[in-house]
């Protein structure tokens, strides 16, 4: 099985193996390959690049959204699913377009949230082309250090 450079350079034995996370990565890679080959399956809808980081008290999603205006993006929570959707609108051009590589049109990204998150405190901010969504963990799910006594 081929690994990317970043996967090969990860320190071994420092993280727990997460088979479902690997399946999700494989699914995402296959979906992107299909999109690049035959286009989006939803009539042009595509998924933006997203990083998901787990912190001690929250999950933080960073969504690449260059050129998206705040009013053109929508973040919804449906049960335990977070749905990010929106549109990057085509710019009006005055000259002849010699090359066009940037994506435009409708985009959507869906991710299942763990059960122990504080749904009422989810916060989203769009700044410098990055949509940052902070999903706090509930108090029961937060990591805390337990003092060991003798």
């Amino acid at each position: 099985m081929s690994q990317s450079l970043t996967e090969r350079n990860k320190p071994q034995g420092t993280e727990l193996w997460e088979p479902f996370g690997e399946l999700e990565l494989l699914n995402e890679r296959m979906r992107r390959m299909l999109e690049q080959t035959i286009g989006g399956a939803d009539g042009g809808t595509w998924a933006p690049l997203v990083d998901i980081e787990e912190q001690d008290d929250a999950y933080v999603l960073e969504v690449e959204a260059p050129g998206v205006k705040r009013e053109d993006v929508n973040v919804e929570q449906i049960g335990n699913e977070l749905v990010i959707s929106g549109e990057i609108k085509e710019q009006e051009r005055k000259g002849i377009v010699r090359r066009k590589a940037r994506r435009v049109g409708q985009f959507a990204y869906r991710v299942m949230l763990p059960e122990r998150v504080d749904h009422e405190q989810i916060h989203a901010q769009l700044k410098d082309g990055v949509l940052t969504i902070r999903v706090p963990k509930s108090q029961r799910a937060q990591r805390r250090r337990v003092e060991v006594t003798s």
Side-chain angles (χ1 to χ4, degrees), residues 99-131:
R99 181 176 184 185
K100 185 176 174 183
R102 295 180 10 191
R103 288 189 161 188
V104 293
Q106 299 286 326
F107 64 87
Y109 182 83
R110 296 171 171 266
V111 64
M112 293 301 291
L113 298 173
E115 289 187 26
R116 293 185 173 178
V117 296
D118 188 351
H119 298 283
E120 300 300 319
Q121 297 300 317
I122 296 174
H123 180 273
Q125 178 182 14
L126 181 61
K127 182 178 179 184
D128 298 330
V130 177
L131 174 64

Side-chain angles (χ1 to χ4, degrees), residues 45-100:
T45 301
W46 51 275
L49 298 175
V50 179
D51 288 339
I52 302 174
E53 175 185 358
E54 180 178 0
Q55 299 175 350
D56 287 343
D57 62 342
Y59 297 94
V60 178
L61 290 81
E62 292 179 329
V63 182
E64 280 191 9
V68 173
K69 295 183 173 118
R70 186 175 49 84
E71 58 270 10
D72 293 332
V73 69
N74 186 37
V75 179
E76 290 182 295
Q77 176 205 339
I78 305 169
N80 274 5
E81 185 176 40
L82 191 65
V83 180
I84 303 158
S85 60
E87 181 178 11
I88 295 179
K89 296 183 179 172
E90 182 80 41
Q91 291 181 358
E92 188 174 319
R93 308 279 184 182
K94 295 181 181 178
I96 299 170
V97 177
R98 300 288 184 183
R99 181 176 184 185
K100 185 176 174 183

Side-chain angles (χ1 to χ4, degrees), residues 1 16 27-28 38 46 57 61 88 112 133 140 148:
M1 178 187 227
L16 293 176
N27 183 30
E28 180 68 17
I38 61 174
W46 51 275
D57 62 342
L61 290 81
I88 295 179
M112 293 301 291
I133 303 168
R140 292 185 356 223
V148 177

